Amino acid sequence: MEAGLLESRLSMEDYEKLQSLFLGDSETGVSFTRAEFIEQAWSAVRRGSREEYGLLFDSVVVTQEQRIDWERLTSFLLLGLSEKEENERAATVPRWQPPRTLTPPHRDPVQQVVYLRSSSRYLSVSKGGTLGVWAGEDFALLQTHRLHNDSVRPKDLWVTAMVVLHNVHKIAVSFTSKELCFYDLLSKQQFSCQYKLQGLRYAPLSLDYWCHPTYPAQAVLTMGDTGGQVSAICFRSAQISLFERPSPGAETDSADIIKWKELVEGRHRCCYTLRHRAHGHAWVRRVRFLGSLEALLSCSTSPQSSMVIGWREKEGEPLRVTAFHTEKGTNDLDHHSGMNLIATAGIDNKVLLWNPYVISKPVGVLRGHMSSVTAVRFIVDKKQLISFSKDKVLRLWDVASQLCIQRIAGIFPKTQEECHTLLFLSEERSRLLLSFNSLLLLMEAKREEGRRVTSHENSVTCVLYNSLFRQVISSDSGSSVICWLVDTGQKVKQFHRCHGDAEISTMALDGTQTRLFTAGTDGVVKIWDFNGHCHHRLNAGRDQAVDISQVLVLKRTVLVMGWERMLTVFRLPSFSQFIVQPSEWKGGVQHNDDVLCAAFLPPQTLVTGSYDGELTVWNNSTENALRKLRPDPERERSRPQTGQNHTDTPPRAVMASPDSSSSDLASCGGSGLVRFWNTVQSGLVAVFTAHKDIGSIIMTMTACGRYLITADMEGTLKTWGIQEYCLLPSNGVTNEAPELLGSLRPHMDCVTHLETCLHGGRLLLLSASADCSVALSYLPGDTVGVFGQVCVCVCVCVLSHRCVTGTYLRQWRKGRTILLSEFHNIFNCKTPFLDKTILNIITSPIN
């Protein structure tokens, strides 16, 4: 409830007084008229004014009965609390800036990224031993160093892991040479090796360091190796010396050699070791020491020892080991000390939540990933969890509800070979760093700008306009579909779990507007009527989970694309069965990369666009490829440089007006460019930058070919006038942009889909966004509103031909009301939906 309202200021004791007022000794309770409630409630509670109790009555009672009872009051209060909780949860979903590729200092895969608290800098290390030093503010590359290890030749050096020893200003780096080197951060010679731990039986793969928050001299360095062993070095006086000082006469300039056997035998009084082999011979993927539990936590890809907890008892006693089993093993894990939960990244596509004291089964299962989960990290303060999967999909989970509240895909670099991915989270700075082999990608969350209106509980993936029912249809990553009335923004109906745990990636309507096609990341396209009945399941992924980017419904075929180089086609004669299998596309494979988009121009021209920026023109009747269109950097060289690649990747391709004598196709892509093509002459006609330095964009076009609308990853929409653009033939490529008619920002995050429609004689624009909202805007013009926001509905009561001053406004969706005295404040704000104020004239006299 909003701050300042009476119901938000009343205490538990005040509500008990109201309960006694309504219920008393009666089992059924009593009800009051407005005047009775104001006087008796104010007299009983003695908090607030009589006017505020009148406002509370008007907020609760929205029927003609004009009486209030305890059930109605408590229902209203619970509804308000539920709305508050929903809005607060939505407000915690981060809004990410466009990802930024960092200057690559590495030529081989990045093995670890760490944060140095003392200098507020970041370190990254690659497999070959290259160390990158990054500025903490802007992530600028400051320095690069080459780690030295005299035990191996430089070309044979292979780093496996790195960890920071914050309390002693050192980093520990492990190598495949079965060594662990400790480098001093404060020495005159930067990153000089101070200790070298040798004699390990297996090569360490994962490192972790913990120091006591109150007694920093007590610390634990944990290692997991290729032999399935988890080892820990427990330091007693880390701030004085990690290991025993060298004997007199030893070389002071060289690193002190520490033998693992000496540590195990207890020859170093400043530390002792702990070990277990509960993982068998499986490689230990990740280790953690949990100070709150006094335990070693580790995971492996072995189902029998997916996760192991080694409980530290008294010094000198062996670890008490607990093993947790999963179906296929675990790639990664993390621990939330506040909730005492462990999250594991499963090879079986699941994220599991565990109570460390319950080994029989997990306390939560987070489903939604379509491939092996490779990394998990808790956002501790927000009680959220980030997970990343092998197919480059990032998900954000609300741990309490165990629901996915954000899904991010399509923005990560595509790699041809097997990709080594690392995920590093800096919660204090709201930064997420991901590595893809040698490439580093930085994602930073934007600052929150107060409370936002949302249409869905999850990121909106698609929005359509149904001209038959005059409704807006939107889908989200939570697999829900919502139908809205355009005039009022009222939610008509909602369908939940349309594809189970898989999100809906896109939608389409058939020509009759009576069938809705929804595509899920489960690889299935479903055909629905608007009563929620599923008529067909199209097996687009052939029983595999795939990422469908577009469904194109034509007269005799349905084309599905997004995950392979060839179109997947379904022919109408095969729709006699509930489960429909795909047919063969006669044209075969013509693209060199995954087909992402398509557009159709009657009577028979089909154009498809692939990830590498290539367009293919087809005869849709014969399904033969006619010609190819490719961006030509030489012909575009007169265009001002934007610092980005010419061959951008087009997530959308849209047909322009066939009346144009020069161009009949427009495409947009990954570097903010829009191109106009002539498909008959296989030529590029025009290219211009619609959005600068913003990454990937999407677009749509009005049916009449008058307006082109583009949208970017920051929520900005631009409307371009193209009715007279590229009308005359030209020998070269036009670099001049069409007329920009308007720019607006109805969203706070990436725009995921655009749709234009003609409604009530006006051109309108619908936009869906990852910020969970669906916006309605005039075309061209301002934003009308967001589906789900307050819609003004004036209820004018007439008594003896006089307007009652206590008339109130009803809030759309929740049935809440506000006094007419606040009406002018509302009308001075942004125009309500479609400038319409619905007048509900009640002419019957009020007794």
Side-chain angles (χ1 to χ4, degrees):
M1 278 163 272
E2 300 169 61
L5 291 178
L6 175 65
E7 55 265 33
S8 65
R9 304 198 313 268
L10 295 181
S11 65
M12 183 61 67
E13 182 181 352
D14 296 331
Y15 280 113
E16 287 176 352
K17 292 177 181 178
L18 288 176
Q19 185 181 26
S20 300
L21 180 66
F22 280 103
L23 300 181
D25 298 330
S26 171
E27 294 182 359
T28 58
V30 295
S31 62
F32 299 104
T33 64
R34 189 177 192 275
E36 292 171 344
F37 173 74
I38 292 174
E39 188 59 36
Q40 296 201 36
W42 181 83
S43 301
V45 178
R46 292 289 178 177
R47 186 191 300 272
S49 64
R50 287 181 170 86
E51 183 181 2
E52 287 180 304
Y53 284 98
L55 173 59
L56 178 57
F57 181 93
D58 294 335
S59 300
V60 175
V61 180
V62 293
T63 64
Q64 295 183 1
E65 295 181 20
Q66 296 298 309
R67 299 186 72 88
I68 187 173
D69 55 24
W70 179 245
E71 182 180 355
R72 289 180 181 173
L73 177 60
T74 53
S75 297
F76 166 76
L77 295 173
L78 289 173
L79 188 62
L81 290 172
S82 174
E83 180 184 5
K84 178 183 178 182
E85 181 183 6
E86 178 183 328
N87 289 332
E88 286 179 349
R89 185 171 70 244
T92 61
V93 177
R95 296 178 293 106
W96 302 98
Q97 298 179 22
R100 180 159 61 98
T101 302
L102 303 181
T103 305
H106 307 291
R107 295 182 178 179
D108 39 17
V110 177
Q111 299 291 69
Q112 200 77 49
V113 177
V114 297
Y115 179 64
L116 302 179
R117 300 174 188 169
S118 57
S119 60
S120 298
R121 293 180 176 181
Y122 296 88
L123 294 181
S124 62
V125 67
S126 66
K127 184 178 74 173
T130 301
L131 194 69
V133 183
W134 307 84
E137 290 299 324
D138 57 358
F139 243 103
L141 182 62
L142 302 178
Q143 298 171 328
T144 57
H145 297 272
R146 176 79 175 179
L147 292 178
H148 295 285
N149 185 353
D150 298 335
S151 304
V152 296
R153 292 178 297 178
K155 66 176 185 178
D156 296 330
L157 185 139
W158 188 326
V159 173
T160 58
M162 177 175 66
V163 71
V164 180
L165 286 61
H166 295 285
N167 60 330
V168 294
H169 305 288
K170 293 177 176 57
I171 59 171
V173 182
S174 57
F175 300 89
T176 54
S177 55
K178 303 175 186 178
E179 294 176 295
L180 188 64
C181 295
F182 296 81
Y183 297 89
D184 191 359
L185 299 176
L186 301 180
S187 64
K188 293 182 180 179
Q189 296 180 352
Q190 286 186 316
F191 304 104
S192 63
C193 185
Q194 186 176 8
Y195 300 106
K196 187 179 292 186
L197 179 60
Q198 296 180 333
L200 298 171
R201 187 176 180 183
Y202 301 100
L205 278 179
S206 177
L207 299 175
D208 182 67
Y209 185 77
W210 170 89
C211 67
H212 198 287
T214 308
Y215 308 103
Q218 301 177 16
V220 179
L221 175 65
T222 311
M223 299 179 288
D225 60 34
T226 57
Q229 180 170 278
V230 176
S231 309
I233 305 173
C234 304
F235 299 103
R236 298 187 177 98
S237 55
Q239 291 180 308
I240 298 175
S241 179
L242 293 178
F243 306 102
E244 296 295 330
R245 298 179 184 275
S247 59
E251 297 183 21
T252 57
D253 293 337
S254 61
D256 296 337
I257 304 298
I258 310 297
K259 295 296 184 179
W260 176 250
K261 184 178 179 181
E262 298 174 358
L263 299 183
V264 174
E265 293 175 351
R267 298 185 194 178
H268 290 250
R269 291 171 295 178
C270 54
C271 63
Y272 66 94
T273 62
L274 298 169
R275 292 175 296 168
H276 74 72
R277 289 289 304 274
H279 289 288
H281 295 285
W283 288 13
V284 181
R285 299 292 178 175
R286 183 163 170 82
V287 292
R288 288 282 306 275
F289 180 81
L290 309 181
S292 58
L293 300 180
E294 287 287 312
L296 306 179
L297 180 64
S298 56
C299 68
S300 73
T301 54
S302 170
Q304 290 74 29
S305 59
S306 296
M307 183 175 71
V308 173
I309 301 179
W311 305 89
R312 183 168 70 168
E313 307 288 350
K314 296 180 181 180
E315 183 178 334
E317 294 184 3
L319 293 168
R320 178 171 55 88
V321 175
T322 304
F324 295 73
H325 310 290
T326 64
E327 292 181 7
K328 295 184 179 180
T330 299
N331 286 316
D332 192 20
L333 55 77
D334 198 15
H335 177 251
H336 193 295
S337 58
M339 295 186 290
N340 198 21
L341 282 178
I342 301 170
T344 57
I347 298 176
D348 59 356
N349 310 349
K350 300 173 186 175
V351 177
L352 303 181
L353 300 176
W354 301 87
N355 182 324
Y357 300 107
V358 180
I359 66 172
S360 57
K361 63 179 181 179
V363 296
V365 181
L366 309 182
R367 295 182 174 90
H369 282 291
M370 297 300 163
S371 66
S372 174
V373 186
T374 58
V376 286
R377 293 293 179 274
F378 277 109
I379 303 179
V380 178
D381 288 344
K382 292 187 175 183
K383 296 182 178 179
Q384 295 172 345
L385 180 71
I386 293 175
S387 61
F388 193 79
S389 55
K390 192 175 181 180
D391 58 354
K392 298 184 179 64
V393 174
L394 186 144
R395 287 179 175 271
L396 180 66
W397 308 84
D398 177 70
V399 177
S401 62
Q402 299 183 14
L403 295 175
C404 178
I405 57 177
Q406 190 176 51
R407 177 185 181 269
I408 301 175
I411 66 171
F412 304 109
K414 188 171 184 178
T415 54
Q416 300 295 335
E417 68 278 4
E418 185 71 18
C419 185
H420 173 77
T421 303
L422 170 80
L423 188 150
F424 173 78
L425 172 67
S426 176
E427 186 172 347
E428 299 82 3
R429 295 176 176 266
S430 299
R431 284 174 171 169
L432 190 62
L433 197 65
L434 298 102
S435 73
F436 300 91
N437 290 336
S438 61
L439 188 68
L440 283 172
L441 196 74
L442 175 65
M443 295 176 61
E444 294 186 90
K446 302 174 185 177
R447 293 182 179 180
E448 293 295 334
E449 300 178 4
R451 193 166 169 176
R452 295 182 290 116
V453 177
T454 59
S455 311
H456 286 250
E457 294 183 2
N458 300 280
S459 300
V460 187
T461 56
C462 187
V463 61
L464 302 173
Y465 176 72
N466 188 311
S467 58
L468 179 65
F469 299 114
R470 298 171 61 85
Q471 294 177 3
V472 171
I473 309 158
S474 56
S475 62
D476 64 28
S477 60
S479 204
S480 294
V481 172
I482 300 179
C483 299
W484 313 83
L485 292 178
V486 181
D487 291 334
T488 63
Q490 181 181 357
K491 183 191 296 185
V492 180
K493 60 183 69 173
Q494 181 170 1
F495 305 109
H496 298 280
R497 294 179 56 81
C498 296
H499 287 258
D501 294 319
E503 63 261 27
I504 299 172
S505 57
T506 188
M507 298 189 298
L509 288 166
D510 73 342
T512 66
Q513 306 275 291
T514 60
R515 293 291 183 266
L516 176 68
F517 292 69
T518 62
T521 53
D522 54 0
V524 175
V525 177
K526 295 185 178 182
I527 305 178
W528 309 80
D529 61 28
F530 285 88
N531 292 319
H533 176 68
C534 181
H535 292 265
H536 299 286
R537 288 170 53 99
L538 311 186
N539 188 16
R542 295 176 173 86
D543 300 323
Q544 298 293 321
V546 297
D547 198 358
I548 299 173
S549 61
Q550 186 178 348
V551 176
L552 184 61
V553 183
L554 302 177
K555 190 173 182 179
R556 296 183 178 87
T557 57
V558 176
L559 304 180
V560 187
M561 64 211 74
W563 70 97
E564 60 182 2
R565 295 182 298 151
M566 186 168 63
L567 289 170
T568 299
V569 59
F570 296 87
R571 308 186 191 280
L572 289 187
S574 62
F575 280 50
S576 58
Q577 303 294 324
F578 176 71
I579 299 179
V580 184
Q581 301 298 333
S583 303
E584 181 183 358
W585 178 253
K586 299 175 184 177
V589 177
Q590 295 293 334
H591 284 280
N592 296 318
D593 214 329
D594 294 344
V595 181
L596 299 182
C597 54
F600 180 73
L601 180 65
Q604 58 188 17
T605 302
L606 174 71
V607 182
T608 55
S610 59
Y611 191 93
D612 56 5
E614 182 183 75
L615 302 175
T616 300
V617 183
W618 307 78
N619 182 313
N620 186 61
S621 298
T622 63
E623 298 180 5
N624 291 327
L626 303 178
R627 59 190 72 90
K628 292 182 182 293
L629 306 175
R630 296 183 181 90
D632 187 351
E634 290 298 321
R635 297 190 68 194
E636 297 177 16
R637 65 182 181 272
S638 60
R639 183 177 56 85
Q641 298 298 307
T642 61
Q644 296 174 331
N645 199 328
H646 289 287
T647 57
D648 54 324
T649 59
R652 301 289 283 175
V654 183
M655 282 289 180
S657 170
D659 298 331
S660 173
S661 59
S662 180
S663 64
D664 58 0
L665 177 77
S667 67
C668 69
S671 54
L673 300 178
V674 175
R675 292 184 173 92
F676 282 78
W677 306 84
N678 186 309
T679 59
V680 177
Q681 300 178 2
S682 303
L684 179 65
V685 177
V687 56
F688 69 94
T689 301
H691 299 255
K692 291 184 178 179
D693 304 322
I694 209 66
S696 179
I697 64 172
I698 63 171
M699 71 179 182
T700 190
M701 189 180 297
T702 55
C704 60
R706 185 175 182 181
Y707 301 117
L708 173 76
I709 304 93
T710 58
D712 61 32
M713 299 185 67
E714 292 193 342
T716 301
L717 309 179
K718 292 185 179 181
T719 303
W720 310 84
I722 60 169
Q723 192 169 18
E724 300 180 358
Y725 188 62
C726 295
L727 284 180
L728 300 177
S730 174
N731 294 328
V733 177
T734 301
N735 299 131
E736 183 179 351
E739 181 184 1
L740 179 61
L741 302 178
S743 178
L744 50 96
R745 192 186 180 197
H747 301 287
M748 306 303 293
D749 206 339
C750 173
V751 180
T752 55
H753 197 263
L754 296 170
E755 175 90 345
T756 63
C757 65
L758 184 64
H759 182 88
R762 291 206 61 167
L763 274 174
L764 300 174
L765 174 66
L766 299 164
S767 55
S769 171
D771 67 1
C772 308
S773 68
V774 179
L776 178 70
S777 305
Y778 292 127
L779 192 60
D782 296 329
T783 299
V784 178
V786 173
F787 289 88
Q789 75 176 54
V790 174
C791 181
V792 178
C793 179
V794 181
C795 181
V796 180
C797 301
V798 178
L799 177 61
S800 301
H801 306 289
R802 290 186 297 111
C803 184
V804 180
T805 56
T807 307
Y808 46 88
L809 302 174
R810 178 177 300 174
Q811 180 191 18
W812 165 59
R813 234 179 44 149
K814 296 298 184 183
R816 295 183 58 186
T817 59
I818 18 179
L819 286 176
L820 187 61
S821 57
E822 302 177 27
F823 176 69
H824 301 288
N825 295 332
I826 295 175
F827 257 78
N828 288 333
C829 298
K830 192 162 288 188
T831 310
F833 270 83
L834 300 186
D835 293 328
K836 290 187 178 180
T837 308
I838 304 173
L839 299 178
N840 181 12
I841 308 298
I842 303 177
T843 56
S844 58
I846 300 176
N847 296 326

